[in-house]
Amino acid sequence: MSKSANKKNLISMANLSTSDLIELIQLAQELKSDPVSKSNALKNMDIALIFAKPSLRTRISFEVGINQLGGHPITIKMDEISIGEREDVKDIANVLSRYVKAIVIRTFEQEQIELLGKHASVPVINGLSNDEHPCQVIADLLTIKEIFNSFSGLKIAFIGDGNNIANSLLLCAALADMNIAIGCPNTHKPKTKYIEQAKKINPKIDINITDNPMDAAKDAHVLYTDTWISMGQESEQKNRKQSFANYQINKNLLKLADKNAIVLHCLPAHKGEEITEDVFEKFSNIIYNQAENRLHVEKAILLKLISE
Ligand code: CP
Ligand code: NVA
């Protein structure tokens, strides 16, 4: 995890080493099998959760997780504090650091989270930005581990928009030694920065960015998709639905994957768009388990960042 002035942040998956990631997954598994262990770990600690975008999973899993660890979540909507408008990031970071033990933030610009992380003296956790969603992909990795037991040699295929999930998955796959294919239109590839970072982290894995979803899905052990229209892109809805029409997880695509392949979705899902209802239903138990794993992973992240 990135460490400066004796504190750690989780702003990008690039803040983690492979051993950090493996330790987080291990701890999350322990917490899942014994949810009341560590029930005093965050006793008398307050954690701020700031949301500039809607959330079900991230907000509730962090709030429940903090409560289970004995701490107190304080959730605020961004328009109550308007970072960068009502006051600048530096002042907010410094003031919040005098009140709380960690800050979780969901916002638009990755740079805003980086600035908050730079100025806060307490850990800052990215609860989703336009560029990344680290908490999500760590939970995805836990879900993969529960089914396949290990990562090396697996192929994960992300089908759809080269968005925040795709960017974080690239780094996550590199750290976990998994091959990764992203099947997306050429106009909506993951950011070059993340492709290059993933190659640098692990030059041995296969990284295939292709506009052919069938090529991406071929022999994959994990098929993964996400909305075609991320939060903040609502005005592009019509064009996006046209651009991504061929990038759907459906039974024909599933046939190309490994015979034991699973399907993941970070949710919220738009059945009939990025995934067909039949495929979603076939894998719904795994997908809901993937959502549950957010809780165990958020607890592990907080414990690693705050109490170690
Ligand atoms: N997957 C996820 O982050 O869900 P929310 O947007 O509901 O938090
Ligand atoms: N790409 C989606 C992820 C939602 C969890 C979004 O940013 O809206």
Side-chain angles (χ1 to χ4, degrees):
M1 292 175 192
S2 77
K3 202 168 182 179
S4 61
N6 289 327
K7 66 110 181 190
K8 296 177 263 182
N9 294 317
L10 178 55
I11 294 172
S12 164
M13 282 305 285
N15 296 151
L16 299 176
S17 64
T18 296
S19 56
D20 289 332
L21 187 57
I22 300 301
E23 278 173 35
L24 272 173
I25 300 290
Q26 174 82 34
L27 179 56
Q29 278 189 301
E30 286 166 24
L31 291 161
K32 186 168 183 173
S33 61
D34 187 3
V36 294
S37 67
K38 316 256 185 210
S39 59
N40 279 323
L42 300 185
K43 194 166 180 233
N44 298 328
M45 295 188 194
D46 296 288
I47 317 285
L49 308 170
I50 304 168
F51 286 89
K53 295 175 177 177
S55 172
L56 172 73
R57 281 145 290 270
T58 306
R59 175 176 174 173
I60 307 298
S61 60
F62 267 108
E63 288 192 359
V64 171
I66 292 164
N67 283 323
Q68 288 184 0
L69 294 170
H72 307 284
I74 302 171
T75 300
I76 33 180
K77 294 277 174 64
M78 180 65 95
D79 59 10
E80 295 173 64
I81 55 171
S82 301
I83 296 183
E85 290 167 30
R86 186 165 182 266
E87 55 191 318
D88 65 31
V89 183
K90 186 179 168 196
D91 289 348
I92 290 185
N94 276 286
V95 171
L96 277 179
S97 299
R98 307 285 176 107
Y99 298 144
V100 299
K101 292 287 185 221
I103 304 166
V104 179
I105 177 166
R106 166 169 290 193
T107 190
F108 292 84
E109 301 305 325
Q110 179 81 1
E111 292 71 26
Q112 188 174 67
I113 310 185
E114 283 166 6
L115 214 52
L116 196 65
K118 181 177 158 200
H119 291 295
S121 60
V122 297
V124 170
I125 299 166
N126 182 348
L128 179 146
S129 70
N130 291 348
D131 287 0
E132 280 210 57
H133 199 359
C135 300
Q136 177 66 53
V137 300
I138 300 169
D140 302 338
L141 207 60
L142 170 57
T143 314
I144 293 169
K145 179 153 188 226
E146 288 173 332
I147 291 165
F148 294 100
N149 204 34
S150 62
F151 307 119
S152 281
L154 293 180
K155 174 181 175 182
I156 181 163
F158 180 89
I159 308 294
D161 185 14
N163 61 14
N164 42 11
I165 298 285
N167 291 335
S168 287
L169 266 186
L170 275 164
L171 301 182
C172 189
L175 288 165
D177 201 35
M178 289 188 296
N179 301 313
I180 181 162
I182 312 276
C184 59
N186 283 328
T187 45
H188 294 83
K189 288 184 190 170
K191 282 194 167 178
T192 309
K193 172 184 148 184
Y194 292 101
I195 301 171
E196 294 307 318
Q197 271 184 347
K199 284 183 185 160
K200 205 168 153 200
I201 290 169
N202 191 338
K204 292 196 201 123
I205 57 162
D206 289 334
I207 299 178
N208 178 16
I209 314 294
T210 172
D211 64 356
N212 182 341
M214 293 183 290
D215 182 32
K218 194 169 173 337
D219 299 327
H221 303 92
V222 180
L223 286 181
Y224 193 139
T225 192
D226 178 22
T227 182
W228 294 335
I229 302 139
S230 284
M231 292 177 277
Q233 297 173 335
E234 291 76 9
S235 65
E236 301 167 32
Q237 196 170 132
K238 201 168 155 228
N239 285 344
R240 284 183 159 266
K241 282 190 183 173
Q242 282 166 3
S243 306
F244 292 110
N246 292 328
Y247 297 85
Q248 182 190 60
I249 298 189
N250 52 39
K251 60 177 187 292
N252 290 333
L253 205 72
L254 189 57
K255 277 186 200 147
L256 301 172
D258 185 84
K259 66 175 183 348
N260 296 317
I262 60 163
V263 173
L264 296 182
H265 195 308
C266 58
L267 302 176
H270 306 81
K271 297 160 201 173
E273 294 182 17
E274 74 273 6
I275 189 165
T276 52
E277 180 138 24
D278 58 336
V279 173
F280 185 94
E281 286 310 321
K282 185 166 179 209
F283 292 94
S284 60
N285 263 341
I286 294 176
I287 293 169
Y288 298 142
N289 190 41
Q290 179 188 5
E292 179 193 324
N293 284 341
R294 291 292 306 273
L295 169 63
H296 312 298
V297 161
E298 319 303 27
K299 287 169 73 179
I301 292 169
L302 290 165
L303 289 173
K304 283 276 177 203
L305 291 178
I306 298 174
S307 53
E308 283 193 359

